[in-house]
Amino acid sequence: MPETRLVVDLDAVAENYRRLCRLAPGTTIACVVKADAYGLGAAAVAPVLWSAGCRTFFTAKLDEALALRGCLPLATVHVLEGPGEGEAETFLAHDLQPVLNQPGEVERWADLARRLGHRLPAGLQLETGLCRMGLAAADLDALRPAWLAALEIRLVMSHLACADEPDHPLNEQQRTRFLALAARLPAAPLSLANSSGLFLGPAYALDLARPGAALYGINPTPGRANPMLPVVTVVAPVLRVLRVDAAGSVGYGATHPVAPGMRIATIGLGYADGLPRAAGNAATAGIAHRTVPLVGRVSMDLTTLDVTGLPEDAVQVGTPVTLFAGPDGLDACAVAAGTIGYELLTRLGRRFRRVYNGTGHA
Ligand SMILES: *Cc1c(COP(=O)(O)O)cnc(C)c1O
C-alpha cells in the first residue's frame, strides 16, 4: 500500500520565484522561509530558491536563521525578530542581519558595533499601521545619533496590513507613512511588499520585496485567478471502503447522515496531521479523477469521504486520494475550513512523509 505523503513540487517553487521576479523587474525578490518555509521544509526549499537566483532570505527566528545558514553559507539572511538579550553575538558569529524593531534592539546592536570598533549591518523596521513590530515616529525621535552611526543600514522595511485587499485605503496610507518615516533615516534600500503587496503594483514593489506565501502556491490575489503554480498536495491511499447497510451517520458527533447503499472511503490522516477538524462536511478531495466531499467530522487520524457516486471498481483499498489538488486546492480547503491557506499550510504536521518532486531547475 502506498504511504500517505505530503508532496512538494520544487520545480513549482522555483517557477513561482521566477514569476515574481518577472512581475517586478528591478526589484530584488527576497524569499521568506520562516516557519520552516511555511512548513514545507526550508532545508529542501531554500537551496532551490538559491539555485533559481535568490540571494536574500528572511526568517522570523534566530534558530531558523542558524539552520538556514547551514544550507546556504553565502546568502544574505535577515531575521525579522531582532536580537534579544544575549543574542547579538550569535547573530554576528553567523553573519545574520537582524531586523531592528524597537529602540532597545537598535541600542543592543549598536553597542556590539561600538565594542567591535566597526559598523554592523542591520535592517530597520518602521511601524506604519500594523501596530505590531517596528519603530514608530516617536521611537525614531528617541534613537541616539550615535546608535544610528554604529549601524550600516542595509534595509528599511515595513509590513502591510491589508495587502490582499487592493482597494483598502490602509495600503496607500501605509505606503505614504513609510516613505515619510524612511526619509528621516540614512538612505537605504526600501521594502514594503509581501506576496500580495507585489501585486499592488510598482509603487509598492520598491527596492526589495519579501514574498513567502506566493512562492508556496497560496493565491496572493484572493478573488482573482491564482497567478502562482500550486506546490503542495497530500496523497493518501484509501484504507477501507464501507458499504452502508442501514440508515445512520458517519463519524464523531453523528454530524452527517448516511443511507443504505452509500459507500464511505476512509483515509489515514486527520487533524493530528494538520487537516483542520472544520474541513469535515465542508472540504473536498480528489479521487479517480472526481471530486468527492469530506463527510462527517475529521478525526485525529482518519477522514471519511462519500464515494457513492463513483464506480465501485474505481475506489478500492489503496486507491490514492488527493487533497489540495489544482490551482486553488489549498486555498479552497482553507476557506471551507474557515481559515486561510497560510494557516493550513504551516500546520501540515511532521507526521507526513515528505516527498520532494523536481529539482527547481528550469
Ligand atoms: C511573513 C512575512 C512576510 C511574507 O508574507 P507573505 O504574505 O507570506 O508573502 C513578509 N514580511 C514580513 C514582515 C512577514 O512577517
Side-chain angles (χ1 to χ4, degrees):
M1 168 116 56
E3 263 184 293
T4 297
R5 57 205 186 274
L6 183 84
V7 184
V8 179
D9 184 345
L10 294 174
D11 291 340
V13 173
E15 172 58 19
N16 285 341
Y17 175 75
R18 289 189 287 267
R19 285 185 185 183
L20 296 177
C21 291
R22 286 197 296 272
L23 177 70
T27 296
T28 298
I29 304 295
C31 291
V32 179
V33 294
K34 62 189 179 188
D36 203 22
Y38 291 47
L40 301 186
V45 166
V48 164
L49 291 166
W50 173 273
S51 298
C54 181
R55 294 293 175 265
T56 305
F57 293 80
F58 284 81
T59 69
K61 313 270 176 193
L62 176 56
D63 54 359
E64 293 169 352
L66 292 172
L68 186 67
R69 182 52 87 213
C71 51
L72 295 181
L74 301 177
T76 298
V77 178
H78 296 282
V79 185
L80 291 167
E81 274 180 29
E85 201 67 47
E87 286 180 350
E89 283 78 4
T90 311
F91 274 81
L92 182 69
H94 298 273
D95 189 22
L96 305 171
Q97 297 191 26
V99 174
L100 306 175
N101 292 292
Q102 48 194 319
E105 292 172 1
V106 178
E107 180 176 16
R108 196 169 291 140
W109 197 239
D111 271 352
L112 180 60
R114 267 205 305 260
R115 271 184 274 140
L116 294 166
H118 60 80
R119 294 191 304 156
L120 285 179
L124 289 179
Q125 173 143 227
L126 299 174
E127 155 55 27
T128 58
L130 195 56
C131 287
R132 216 171 58 172
M133 304 286 265
L135 299 154
D139 296 319
L140 289 187
D141 295 335
L143 292 186
R144 304 229 178 101
W147 296 347
L148 282 182
L151 306 182
E152 191 182 318
I153 302 176
R154 295 266 179 92
L155 185 70
V156 174
M157 60 171 273
S158 190
H159 194 44
L160 295 167
C162 303
D164 57 349
E165 297 174 56
D167 298 327
H168 202 293
L170 189 51
N171 291 321
E172 194 49 32
Q173 282 170 24
Q174 284 196 274
R175 198 182 74 87
T176 308
R177 282 181 206 150
F178 177 60
L179 296 177
L181 286 176
R184 296 177 50 188
L185 292 165
L190 300 180
S191 175
L192 185 58
N194 66 335
S195 297
S196 295
L198 266 170
F199 289 83
L200 295 175
Y204 288 82
L206 300 175
D207 299 305
L208 180 143
R210 311 179 309 271
L215 297 168
Y216 313 122
I218 292 174
N219 187 354
T221 61
R224 290 187 275 155
N226 191 354
M228 314 315 298
L229 291 179
V231 169
V232 187
T233 50
V234 164
V235 183
V238 169
L239 298 181
R240 174 201 191 358
V241 185
L242 177 93
R243 173 178 282 280
V244 175
D245 58 8
S249 59
V250 52
Y252 289 126
T255 60
H256 188 85
V258 295
M262 280 178 71
R263 279 177 300 124
I264 302 294
T266 300
I267 53 175
L269 64 94
Y271 61 76
D273 303 279
L275 182 66
R277 186 165 171 276
N281 295 322
T284 59
I287 181 167
H289 309 291
R290 294 272 293 277
T291 300
V292 298
L294 273 54
V295 289
R297 284 195 186 143
V298 169
S299 51
M300 189 184 297
D301 320 301
L302 300 169
T303 295
T304 37
L305 318 167
D306 182 356
V307 295
T308 311
L310 274 71
E312 222 156 293
D313 58 359
V315 183
Q316 306 198 340
V317 171
T319 303
V321 171
T322 307
L323 295 174
F324 320 139
D328 296 303
L330 190 84
D331 289 303
C333 180
V335 168
T339 181
I340 56 172
Y342 290 71
E343 186 180 18
L344 178 58
L345 191 59
T346 52
R347 287 196 176 185
L348 293 175
R350 290 280 129 207
R351 216 184 192 192
F352 286 112
R353 189 162 79 87
R354 275 146 211 272
V355 178
Y356 295 94
N357 283 348
T359 59
H361 298 295

